[in-house]
Amino acid sequence: MSPPSRARRAALALAVLGGVWLPAAHGFTIGITPGTRALFLQVGAGTMSGGNFRTGGTPGNNTTVNSVSVTVAAGQLGSGTAQAMTTDSTVTISPWDGFAFCNSPATTGQVYVGGFYRMPGSSNAGAATLSVTTPASLTDGGNTIPFNSIAWTSSGNGDTGTTIPSATFAGGAQTLLSVTRNTWFESCLAFRYLNTQLVPAGTFTGRATYTLTAP
């Protein structure tokens, strides 16, 4: 939880092993009770003490950086067949209400992304902005793979539509979502590697940094 802070950040490390791979997502929004100005953002692992947020839990800081990765077989490199990525995140439960919102990361590779923007009830503040920033490329020494070789699909159990839209990393800063004040949002992102180019064997890595910023 972050009182008069203007931004909360969380990072996700991405790796392509011996080739290339990519992710996916989907979402949910709900109003929350107005209160002291606060921003909360969780990407993968997070901290919520005293139960879930809906029943009085308190968000805390968590410095864990989860990863998604894929190993592409030599015979599949550059084939154009997208390769699903796996993740070391184990989060399936929504910190909002304890609902099993994401499916098993071990089998689906889904990474939970959620949080809120809260203000006092009398505030006329505008919306917060969720964005992600990536470098231009994943790198392995002098070899590179464009970051736009990774995409994600957005989803969430029980959803009828997406919150964070499904998309592809742009390589740079990109806006993902406008978050209305006193709103909780969440999505499950499943990443995949588009696998459209031949690359030398190696471990290509890069980091996506998610930021929730309020006016």
Side-chain angles (χ1 to χ4, degrees):
M1 199 179 218
S2 130
S5 176
R6 286 186 174 272
R8 287 299 301 267
R9 291 182 174 82
L12 181 67
L14 300 159
V16 177
L17 310 174
V20 185
W21 180 90
L22 270 195
H26 185 133
F28 166 87
T29 59
I30 192 167
I32 62 174
T33 303
T36 303
R37 174 186 170 90
L39 288 169
F40 174 67
L41 175 62
Q42 178 174 331
V43 178
T47 298
M48 184 72 67
S49 359
N52 56 63
F53 187 76
R54 186 177 184 181
T55 58
T58 302
N61 292 323
N62 190 312
T63 59
T64 302
V65 177
N66 286 121
S67 299
V68 292
S69 62
V70 68
T71 299
V72 182
Q76 286 294 314
L77 279 175
S79 67
T81 301
Q83 305 288 307
M85 300 180 84
T86 58
T87 179
D88 62 358
S89 170
T90 59
V91 175
T92 59
I93 302 299
S94 166
W96 157 250
D97 61 357
F99 178 69
F101 186 64
C102 299
N103 295 313
S104 168
T107 56
T108 66
Q110 289 186 342
V111 176
Y112 175 89
V113 179
F116 66 78
Y117 171 37
R118 189 176 65 191
M119 290 292 291
S122 59
S123 171
N124 292 317
T129 300
L130 176 67
S131 60
V132 65
T133 302
T134 57
S137 303
L138 298 109
T139 61
D140 176 39
N143 297 317
T144 63
I145 296 173
F147 229 101
N148 62 11
S149 295
I150 297 179
W152 67 85
T153 300
S154 178
S155 62
N157 292 326
D159 280 349
T160 56
T162 59
T163 297
I164 298 173
S166 301
T168 300
F169 285 118
Q174 59 194 112
T175 298
L176 300 179
L177 186 68
S178 178
V179 182
T180 306
R181 66 186 178 93
N182 299 322
T183 297
W184 180 287
F185 70 93
E186 57 188 13
S187 294
C188 303
L189 307 186
F191 297 89
R192 66 190 182 280
Y193 172 59
L194 300 180
N195 193 26
T196 58
Q197 66 182 96
L198 287 172
V199 296
T203 300
F204 295 79
T205 61
R207 179 174 291 191
T209 301
Y210 293 80
T211 306
L212 182 61
T213 307

